Amino acid sequence: MNIYPLTSFINRLSAHTLLSDEEHAVLLGLPRREEWVKADSSALKIGELAKTVCVITEGLLTRSTNTKDGRRQITSFYVSGEMPDLHTLMRPRSSFDLVAQCESQILRIPHIALRDAIHKHPAIGEAFSRELVHQSDVTAEWVVNVGQRPAKARIAHLFCEIAIKKGAVREQDTRFLLPVTQAALADATGLSAVHVNRSVQSLRHDKVLGFEHGEATIPNWDALVNIAGFDGAYLRVGEPDRLAS
Amino acid sequence: MNIYPLTSFINRLSAHTLLSDEEHAVLLGLPRREEWVKADSSALKIGELAKTVCVITEGLLTRSTNTKDGRRQITSFYVSGEMPDLHTLMRPRSSFDLVAQCESQILRIPHIALRDAIHKHPAIGEAFSRELVHQSDVTAEWVVNVGQRPAKARIAHLFCEIAIKKGAVREQDTRFLLPVTQAALADATGLSAVHVNRSVQSLRHDKVLGFEHGEATIPNWDALVNIAGFDGAYLRVGEPDRLAS
DNA sequence: CGTACGCTTGATAACCCTCAAATCTAGTGG
DNA sequence: CCACTAGATTTGAGGGTTATCAAGCGTACG
């Protein structure tokens, strides 16, 4: 448990953008309102006019949109430390739903406070822009995943991405909580729930992925990466873009 | 032909962000290098370190990435007036290929010049951020398209999006150039080229979409929208986000 | 103890893919 | 101008992957 609940989010920014001590302090001092979001309820609805930006401190949220004929597609998973609706700072009218997959804690930071911080510290604005670009890159990779990979690889790829996001990767016996239903995995991968079930079983049988009771286990990371055709470059872990502003 | 080749790109920014006369002037005065990109050759390669940002003045480019087993997914089409690699300003190392679908003209604007303009005029930076968010929204909609819609709807949806981007939509007899091969449509929709062919034929038979020799014709816009399950809200045409900075 | 929800299984069929070859088109060189 | 070639579109056949429908099972919770 962090003393400063914003720390993991600041670490995320620091991973790609060099921030001064003062800028760190400004971020830590941002006004915010703690809020618990119950499972299956939404932190932000499509069409809603956002006045705050969230930071997740606990739990798991998804970004999703519905087609006219009532099908649902999840377009991103957001873990602790991420800002799922940062984009509303530039475009307050939300273009998708943000729903909690389990009881989750978020911090709501007013747009005004962020705008003010950006105004006074351009590097903070730069960090946010970079974060947005990062999220955009991940979304593009999702298009590739859903468009090109067969079911098993598609699911494997998703688990690889989340494992890295959560910083849970080990050579052997990677293990992390992922409190989602198989139906949610189906909505994220563009597969049917039934087929997700069979594919997960098959991956389990191959001894590359376990997924039960909301906990994922990856006995052999390399094997899963191989099945997924996963190349983590798009996540840019540990490759900073520290530019002088 | 525009006297100032940057005009259509500036109009695009003005559609969502209020820019002063001076800011307009700064944008028009941006240093740039004209460049023609031949069909099938790339303006930017994956992994490359970008030092400029492109504005398309003529032609059509695609953003694409390849999976490890050699399959290709197109994740965006870029038409005249768009900045396909704006994100390299924040993250110079490109995460995808940018390839011309036909002989195209681009303007290369040095990163330094843009950084300088942003530094002096925050509203310009805001316009760029908003443009980035816009592109990101479109990409998310692609995930939905590829993940949830059946072949015909998927193709129809793609044509709806491009028609709007090109500002070509009419009630009847919408018509615009789209110099791409059916194989490219396949890579964009996650379908096989053969199946794209049959789907296009079927749409043609339904009299909702013609596509021959790189020219698209849409005899009945509403009918196509209906088949696509298209809701243009994500493109935010004519809905400005003019915020005071 | 009942109910709701998620997971699992089976059967059937739809959708889409792959392979293969034919046709058509546009561009090239003789 | 015509033969040749390469690329794009089209067609056919067959099979694989995935969807849908339906029902059974397990488990957590009131």
Side-chain angles (χ1 to χ4, degrees), chain B residues 131-142:
Chain B
E131 188 62 23
L132 243 20
V133 168
H134 171 82
Q135 289 181 15
S136 181
D137 278 4
V138 173
T139 306
E141 183 60 40
W142 276 50

Side-chain angles (χ1 to χ4, degrees), chain B residues 192-227:
Chain B
S192 72
V194 171
H195 200 62
V196 164
N197 181 274
R198 293 196 228 265
S199 303
V200 167
Q201 279 180 62
S202 172
L203 288 165
R204 189 180 302 154
H205 177 263
D206 297 346
K207 300 197 195 318
V208 289
L209 175 68
F211 178 60
E212 289 118 347
H213 314 295
E215 186 181 21
T217 54
I218 304 173
N220 184 340
W221 176 250
D222 291 341
L224 188 68
V225 162
N226 195 46
I227 286 183

Side-chain angles (χ1 to χ4, degrees), chain B residues 140-187:
Chain B
E141 183 60 40
W142 276 50
V143 176
V144 179
N145 196 37
V146 172
Q148 297 299 141
R149 283 187 258 267
K152 277 173 71 174
R154 214 182 286 182
I155 293 167
H157 197 277
L158 182 60
F159 277 89
C160 286
E161 180 180 304
I162 298 174
I164 289 193
K165 265 201 193 185
K166 293 203 131 199
V169 178
R170 309 275 172 277
E171 274 293 313
Q172 294 159 6
D173 203 44
T174 294
R175 180 177 291 272
F176 56 92
L177 290 179
L178 187 67
V180 300
T181 151
Q182 291 186 354
L185 294 182
D187 288 343

Side-chain angles (χ1 to χ4, degrees), chain A residues 3 21 33 40 70 89 120 168 181 202 237 242 245:
Chain A
I3 301 176
D21 289 350
R33 187 160 41 82
D40 294 321
L89 203 57
K120 290 183 183 139
T181 153
S202 172
V237 198
R242 306 165 186 278
S245 182

